[in-house]
Amino acid sequence: EDQVTQSPEALRLQEGESSSLNCSYTVSGLRGLFWYRQDPGKGPEFLFTLYSAGEEKEKERLKATLTKKESFLHITAPKPEDSATYLCAVQASNDYKLSFGAGTTVTVRA
Amino acid sequence: GAVVSQHPSWVICKSGTSVKIECRSLDFQATTMFWYRQFPKQSLMLMATSNEGSKATYEQGVEKDKFLINHASLTLSTLTVTSAHPEDSSFYICSARVASGYEQYFGPGTRLTVT
């Protein structure tokens, strides 16, 4: 069974204070690892897909990286508008389903 | 691009009644749509996978007779919660997979409250 573990559960940052979120996973044949952002009361918003170890993707202040066992989401110089829950999910090569981690709730204070 | 809508955004119903939630892909065709539920401060739990024109595949523990899913076209899937009870109160979110890719794009969610 696919397992996704995210840490920490919550992260409180000062504006401009860079940090990283971790997503550890076990899956039988990884097709892709996905990062989403979810605001309270809203559906998840797609951020990145990573397909192979060593791959990196960037979007504004966010950068996602992938190894064979984990992924990191780096937030550089965060702003209050980056406050959200960040969800990591994996997709096995034999299916289109996503298995989600519990998420990391990031709060950025001005 | 890749916009998914849900209707209604929130609904309150009485115990024992049924409620239908619509999920539409607005600017792409979705051969596969997914239905999730999310409890407060918890992650998304997949309920079922639906493919256009075929029966939905339900996850273990999800009652298929209670949560009826129809995927009649490439842009529309519906979830009907039958004989709803207070324990069915939750945030229901759908997603759609672009036919040419692997990403899922999510709708804004529907808050169901059963009184």
Side-chain angles (χ1 to χ4, degrees):
Chain A
E1 185 177 326
D2 304 339
Q3 287 199 330
V4 181
T5 304
Q6 292 188 246
S7 62
E9 287 186 17
L11 191 59
R12 296 177 67 84
L13 301 172
Q14 198 68 33
E15 184 172 5
E17 178 188 2
S18 301
S19 189
S20 294
L21 285 56
N22 177 264
C23 171
S24 298
Y25 65 91
T26 56
V27 61
S28 54
L30 178 73
R31 169 184 282 139
L33 184 141
F34 302 79
W35 282 98
Y36 287 86
R37 168 195 170 124
Q38 186 176 27
D39 293 306
K42 303 273 184 71
E45 174 190 346
F46 171 74
L47 293 174
F48 305 108
T49 309
L50 301 167
Y51 292 105
S52 57
E55 189 174 2
E56 299 182 350
K57 288 196 176 171
E58 289 187 64
K59 180 180 180 179
E60 296 181 356
R61 294 175 294 282
L62 302 176
K63 178 181 177 179
T65 62
L66 180 66
T67 72
K68 289 186 177 180
K69 294 183 177 181
E70 58 191 350
S71 177
F72 292 93
L73 184 65
H74 308 278
I75 309 179
T76 302
K79 298 182 178 182
E81 52 262 43
D82 295 321
S83 297
T85 295
Y86 291 86
L87 298 168
C88 169
V90 296
Q91 186 180 74
S93 57
N94 61 350
D95 205 340
Y96 292 113
K97 298 190 296 187
L98 294 179
S99 298
F100 279 88
T104 295
T105 300
V106 175
T107 305
V108 183
R109 297 165 291 173
Chain B
V3 179
V4 177
S5 70
Q6 276 184 248
H7 178 80
S9 55
W10 60 270
V11 58
I12 302 172
C13 69
K14 292 191 175 182
S15 186
T17 62
S18 296
V19 62
K20 180 186 285 189
I21 302 170
E22 288 188 352
C23 176
R24 293 182 185 271
S25 56
L26 298 184
D27 54 0
F28 66 99
Q29 293 186 329
T31 52
T32 310
M33 288 185 168
F34 304 84
W35 287 94
Y36 297 81
R37 64 188 299 181
Q38 186 175 36
F39 291 105
K41 298 192 183 300
Q42 294 188 24
S43 193
L44 284 77
M45 295 298 296
L46 180 65
M47 299 175 65
T49 302
S50 75
N51 291 292
E52 185 263 339
S54 61
K55 290 185 178 181
T57 302
Y58 291 82
E59 295 299 300
Q60 193 172 7
V62 177
E63 299 175 61
K64 62 180 180 181
D65 294 330
K66 181 169 186 62
F67 298 100
L68 301 179
I69 291 171
N70 183 273
H71 192 163
S73 77
L74 288 172
T75 59
L76 173 64
S77 177
T78 60
L79 168 68
T80 301
V81 183
T82 62
S83 187
H85 291 285
E87 56 266 30
D88 298 323
S89 298
S90 189
F91 191 51
Y92 291 88
I93 314 174
C94 72
S95 71
R97 181 179 71 86
V98 179
S100 58
Y102 303 115
E103 294 84 7
Q104 291 181 26
Y105 295 91
F106 285 81
T110 296
R111 174 75 58 193
L112 170 63
T113 302
V114 185
T115 62

